[in-house]
Amino acid sequence: MPIRLGIIGLSADSGAWATMAHVSPLKSAALSKEYTITAVATSSPESAKAAAKAHGIAEEKAYSSPEAIANDPDVDMVVVSVKLPLHKQLLMPALKAKKDVYVEWPLGKDLEQAEEMTALAKSQGVKTVVGLQARQSLVVLKAKEIISSRALGRIRSTNLVISSSGLQDIPDRARTYYNDPKSGANVISIPAAHVLDPMCFLLGEFKTLNATSATNFPEIRWIQQDGSKSAPEKKNIADWISVQGILESGASASFAFTCTTAATPEQFSWIISGEKGSLKFEGTSFAIQMGQSTLYQYIPGEGAKWEEVKIPPDSGHFGGIGEVYAAFAEGKKEGLVDFDEAVKRHKMVEAIYRSAEKGTRESYGY
C-alpha cells in the first residue's frame, strides 16, 4: 500500500518549491507506486482549495491548519515544506498525532527547538526525515564508495571553496525572516550547512573547529515578483564564512563560503586528499544538494591527471529529494537524515556561531 502524504506548504503554483522539489519526483513512475498525496494544508482555506484542485486532491482534504492535516486518518506522513520560522509550530501537531514526518532543513530555528522536536518524535515512536538531501547525490554516494574502498588511502585533508553571487539579492517572500539573525535562516545555517553535511557524511565530524564570519556587503535588496528590486536595506547577517578544523579521523578540513557579486564567477571546488590519491568535485553552483557536480579522481603515476569519474545518468529526481523518498520507502538508513542526525548538524552550526562570535576553538559533543 502506498504511503499517504499530507503536504504542508504545497501551492497551486507550478513553479513553487514544494511542487518542483517534492511533487515532481513523487509523480515519477517509480515513486508514484510508493506514495500518494492525499491531503494539503496552507495558510488559508482559499489557497488550500486551489492547491488541492491543481494537484488532483479531493477538496475535503484541503486544510488550513496543521492540526487538521495531522489528524486526518488518511495521512500516514506529514511533509513540511515552508519557511524555517514556521517549522516547529507546523511539525508539533503531526508528532503529537504520531505521524511520520519529512521536514526541510533546518529542522528548527535553533538547537533548542530541534532537540525539543526530536525528544517528542522519540517518545511518539515515529519515523523522521530531514531534507539534507546532498547525502543522496549520485556524486556524493560515488565518492563515498571510492573512499570506503581505500583507493585513496588514508584521508589527510579536505579543502572546499565556494563563491556565489546568488545570495546577495533575495526573493521578497523571505523578507520577513531572512535578514533577521534570530530567525535561524542565514548563509551559515542553510547553504553552508547543506555543503558541510556531505563533507561530514564522507569524512566524519569535526573534533574541533575555528570559524570566522563577516558581512562584506552591508546592504541587501529584495527581488519582487516582476524581477525588480527593492531599495537597499542594512544587512544584519554574515555573507562570508570560513571554517577550519580537525576531523575525528585526524584529517584537517578547510571550508570557505563567499557571497560575491556578478564580478566574480560562480565556483564550487572541493578536494579530498588521500595518501594514495585524491577526489575533486567541481561545479558552478554552491547547491550540491540541488545540482550535479562533476567528480574527478587523481591517482599518481606516469602521465597522471584528473580523470572524470563516470556517474550513472540521473534518475530524473529533483536534487536528491526523490532519492530521499525512494530510500525511505525502501527502508534504507544510509544517507537518510533523521531528527537525531539533524540535531548533530544543529550542534555543528551552533559551534560555528560561537567560534565566529568569540574567536574560540569549539567542539560540539555530538
Side-chain angles (χ1 to χ4, degrees):
M1 181 178 176
I3 298 170
R4 299 169 299 177
L5 301 177
I7 303 181
I8 300 178
L10 181 60
S11 77
D13 182 359
S14 61
W17 172 257
T19 303
M20 295 190 301
H22 292 268
V23 175
S24 292
L26 286 168
K27 288 188 174 180
S28 66
L31 290 181
S32 61
K33 300 175 183 178
E34 305 291 343
Y35 295 92
T36 181
I37 304 172
T38 56
V40 60
T42 66
S43 58
S44 72
E46 294 75 22
S47 61
K49 290 177 182 178
K53 182 177 180 180
H55 298 287
I57 300 167
E59 185 175 314
E60 62 268 21
K61 300 293 185 179
Y63 302 110
S64 56
S65 80
E67 291 80 11
I69 196 169
N71 291 316
D72 187 330
D74 296 323
V75 170
D76 303 312
M77 185 178 204
V78 174
V79 178
V80 175
S81 181
V82 300
K83 58 188 179 183
L84 171 58
L86 299 178
H87 282 189
K88 180 186 173 183
Q89 72 181 70
L90 299 180
L91 275 168
M92 293 297 275
L95 296 173
K96 290 175 181 177
K98 296 188 176 182
K99 298 297 173 74
D100 295 338
V101 295
Y102 182 132
V103 59
E104 302 280 4
W105 169 261
L107 171 53
K109 73 181 183 71
D110 54 28
L111 176 60
E112 181 180 357
Q113 281 195 356
E115 289 181 327
E116 180 183 352
M117 288 184 281
T118 300
L120 179 58
K122 285 182 176 180
S123 70
Q124 296 291 75
V126 300
K127 297 176 182 178
T128 60
V129 181
V130 179
L132 283 168
Q133 62 268 15
R135 299 189 188 196
Q136 291 294 327
S137 162
L138 297 178
V139 290
V140 171
L141 291 174
K142 185 63 178 179
K144 187 170 184 63
E145 177 187 317
I146 293 170
I147 293 168
S148 298
S149 75
R150 306 294 296 171
L152 306 182
R154 182 177 177 181
I155 303 302
R156 290 296 189 178
S157 65
T158 189
N159 184 61
L160 204 162
V161 178
I162 296 170
S163 295
S164 176
S165 61
L167 295 170
Q168 288 294 6
D169 299 321
I170 304 298
D172 188 67
R173 62 179 178 272
R175 184 194 288 256
T176 58
Y177 64 94
Y178 185 78
N179 198 34
D180 178 4
K182 296 181 180 180
S183 75
N186 53 62
V187 171
I188 297 171
S189 66
I190 300 180
H194 268 296
V195 181
L196 285 165
D197 183 69
M199 176 191 285
C200 294
F201 174 63
L202 293 183
L203 305 176
E205 299 293 327
F206 283 94
K207 184 177 182 180
T208 59
L209 62 81
N210 293 81
T212 306
S213 64
T215 304
N216 291 329
F217 296 89
E219 295 179 334
I220 189 170
R221 295 186 298 176
W222 307 100
I223 305 171
Q224 311 302 310
Q225 285 190 334
D226 62 4
S228 63
K229 296 178 181 180
S230 70
E233 297 179 9
K234 180 180 181 295
K235 186 186 288 183
N236 299 316
I237 57 174
D239 55 26
W240 179 84
I241 176 68
S242 174
V243 182
Q244 287 80 38
I246 303 299
L247 304 179
E248 286 287 353
S249 66
S252 58
S254 176
F255 171 86
F257 194 117
T258 304
C259 296
T260 63
T261 67
T264 301
E266 303 288 308
Q267 178 188 16
F268 180 92
S269 178
W270 177 13
I271 294 178
I272 299 171
S273 301
E275 291 180 333
K276 296 179 181 179
S278 301
L279 292 176
K280 177 172 66 172
F281 297 77
E282 280 195 341
T284 57
S285 170
F286 67 85
I288 187 174
Q289 79 279 9
M290 293 169 62
Q292 188 92 322
S293 301
T294 302
L295 181 65
Y296 300 89
Q297 185 172 2
Y298 183 89
I299 302 296
E302 186 176 349
K305 62 179 181 178
W306 287 109
E307 300 281 357
E308 182 176 350
V309 178
K310 298 300 182 183
I311 306 294
D314 188 84
S315 61
H317 298 153
F318 185 94
I321 290 178
E323 284 78 6
V324 171
Y325 278 113
F328 181 84
E330 294 167 16
K332 294 181 179 179
K333 292 188 176 180
E334 184 177 32
L336 282 181
V337 178
D338 61 10
F339 279 16
D340 279 327
E341 279 289 295
V343 164
K344 184 190 300 183
R345 198 58 54 234
H346 271 283
K347 288 181 177 180
M348 182 199 72
V349 169
E350 296 278 346
I352 291 172
Y353 289 157
R354 292 195 304 271
S355 180
E357 179 184 359
K358 300 177 182 179
T360 52
R361 177 178 295 175
E362 296 287 339
S363 60
Y364 47 98
Y366 56 88

